[in-house]
Amino acid sequence: MVNQKYLDKAEVLVEALPYIQRFNRKIIVIKYGGSAMLDEELKKKVIEDVVLLKLVGFKPIIVHGGGKEISRWVEKVGMEPRFIKGLRVTDEDTMELVEMVLGKVNKELVTLVQSLGVKAVGVSGKDGGLLRVSKKRIEGGDIGYVGEVEEVNPKILYDLLEKDFLPIVFPVGLDDDFHTYNINADDAACAIAKSVNAEKLAFLTDIDGVYKDPDDPKTLIPELYVNEAEQLIEDGYIGGGMLPKLNNCIDAIRCGVSRVHILDGRIPHSMLLEIFTDKGAGTAILCEREAKYYNEED
């Protein structure tokens, strides 16, 4: 008699098959950030997920932040972190530290991917002119060297993917005068996903997904069409840090990305559950031509 545990594993593989077939050789951009970057066990599981995606035929690109690590180093060297409307004020000294820390995080991720048998290359938005930026301006003060993505030149990413490398990008870029700017990792991931015509964009965050009522876990929304997401924003259900994230999702869909996923990176293998199972593990935002997978009766 075959053990039920192994039969269940076989069922999971069968369930994943249509997704593997559909997205074979398609580009998926993964924005990696939040607590999943700080916990070594979680970090390993996230990278295992990305490596699995690569080995079953996807073309993943990782775009990572490092805000919490940057804050740790700012305090470590005795600098005083300053924020205006939730945005880090990045002067010249802070920008130098930001680039150093993000570069360190980047090479740690490259090492981890390669330890699992996949070739990876770490690049910044400065390399190959990948991300051209302008200075981000907000009401309430000058936030320094914080950039707004103006243009993406994805040639270096296409070249790496063609040579079977997994690109890992950290979000700094250059303006027209070749000054270095820090970029919000969500914004960078969204801009890159649009530029490479990604089939999927996945945000790993510290929340389960999009809730109609953030205080009621039962109101998690598994799938949303863009017009439904826009209606939630218009009706005032979305606020705080979710608002710019959801707007980024909508923008990506409007620019050709088929599905955008918001996932809790603190849940081990949440990315695989969302991408390879009918039930999912977060919230997917879809373009109108996409069919919903989620079955309310499941």
Side-chain angles (χ1 to χ4, degrees):
M1 187 70 156
V2 178
N3 190 307
Q4 185 62 42
K5 178 176 70 173
Y6 298 111
L7 291 173
D8 291 342
K9 285 184 179 180
E11 284 294 325
V12 169
L13 292 172
V14 170
E15 186 179 342
L17 181 59
Y19 302 105
I20 294 171
Q21 289 174 320
R22 177 178 171 186
F23 298 114
N24 186 261
R25 310 308 296 161
K26 299 290 176 62
I27 296 175
I28 174 171
V29 175
I30 298 136
K31 187 270 172 169
Y32 176 37
S35 299
M37 293 194 75
L38 301 178
D39 183 294
E40 290 303 316
E41 268 307 303
L42 277 177
K43 185 188 293 186
K44 186 177 179 186
K45 290 186 186 307
V46 168
I47 297 304
E48 284 173 346
D49 288 0
V50 178
V51 165
L52 179 61
L53 291 175
K54 177 87 169 65
L55 293 174
V56 298
F58 285 68
K59 293 183 174 183
I61 298 169
I62 296 174
V63 180
H64 69 84
K68 293 181 179 180
E69 184 75 356
I70 291 166
S71 294
R72 189 171 75 84
W73 276 91
V74 164
E75 292 174 15
K76 197 171 182 177
V77 300
M79 296 166 69
E80 189 69 35
R82 291 192 302 126
F83 294 86
I84 297 175
K85 293 189 173 179
L87 296 171
R88 184 190 303 276
V89 177
T90 308
D91 57 20
E92 283 191 42
D93 290 340
T94 305
M95 185 63 241
E96 186 176 355
L97 185 66
V98 164
E99 192 166 13
M100 288 168 57
V101 172
L102 288 176
K104 174 180 177 292
V105 170
N106 186 269
K107 296 314 173 190
E108 287 172 354
L109 294 177
V110 168
T111 302
L112 190 49
V113 169
Q114 295 195 154
S115 74
L116 294 171
V118 165
K119 297 181 296 181
V121 173
V123 298
S124 79
K126 295 161 73 169
D127 295 316
L130 175 59
L131 298 175
R132 184 176 68 79
V133 306
S134 61
K135 180 181 174 67
K136 190 180 189 78
R137 301 185 187 278
I138 65 166
E139 292 181 11
D142 183 353
I143 53 175
Y145 291 94
V146 178
E148 198 89 67
V149 178
E150 295 292 340
E151 187 179 358
V152 181
N153 176 7
K155 184 179 185 306
I156 188 171
L157 300 178
Y158 285 135
D159 287 348
L160 290 170
L161 291 171
E162 187 183 335
K163 297 291 190 295
D164 205 33
F165 288 101
L166 195 163
I168 304 178
V169 181
F170 66 94
V172 301
L174 296 172
D175 69 5
D176 291 338
D177 296 317
F178 300 98
H179 295 127
T180 301
Y181 284 79
N182 187 24
I183 307 163
N184 176 279
D186 283 1
D187 294 347
C190 186
I192 287 170
K194 291 186 290 186
S195 75
V196 297
N197 299 310
E199 188 72 18
K200 287 177 176 284
L201 168 61
F203 290 99
L204 291 178
T205 67
D206 285 347
I207 52 173
D208 297 329
V210 178
Y211 289 94
K212 191 163 186 180
D213 178 0
D215 297 322
D216 184 356
K218 293 179 181 176
T219 64
L220 178 69
I221 305 170
E223 292 180 306
L224 280 168
Y225 285 120
V226 168
N227 62 325
E228 295 172 328
E230 289 173 330
Q231 193 62 52
L232 281 175
I233 293 171
E234 190 178 321
D235 292 344
Y237 287 108
I238 309 298
M242 180 53 73
L243 184 56
K245 197 175 295 290
L246 193 53
N247 276 321
N248 264 332
C249 296
I250 291 168
D251 187 36
I253 295 289
R254 293 288 186 216
C255 291
V257 178
S258 294
R259 283 178 177 257
V260 182
H261 304 267
I262 298 175
L263 306 169
D264 189 343
R266 298 168 300 181
I267 299 173
H269 304 305
S270 61
M271 191 161 27
L272 298 186
L273 289 170
E274 177 67 13
I275 291 173
F276 288 139
T277 69
D278 296 334
K279 189 72 172 177
T283 297
I285 295 91
L286 331 174
C287 65
E288 280 78 2
R289 69 177 181 273
E290 289 282 300
K292 289 187 176 182
Y293 295 154
Y294 178 74
N295 183 348
E296 295 287 355
E297 296 176 359
D298 284 353

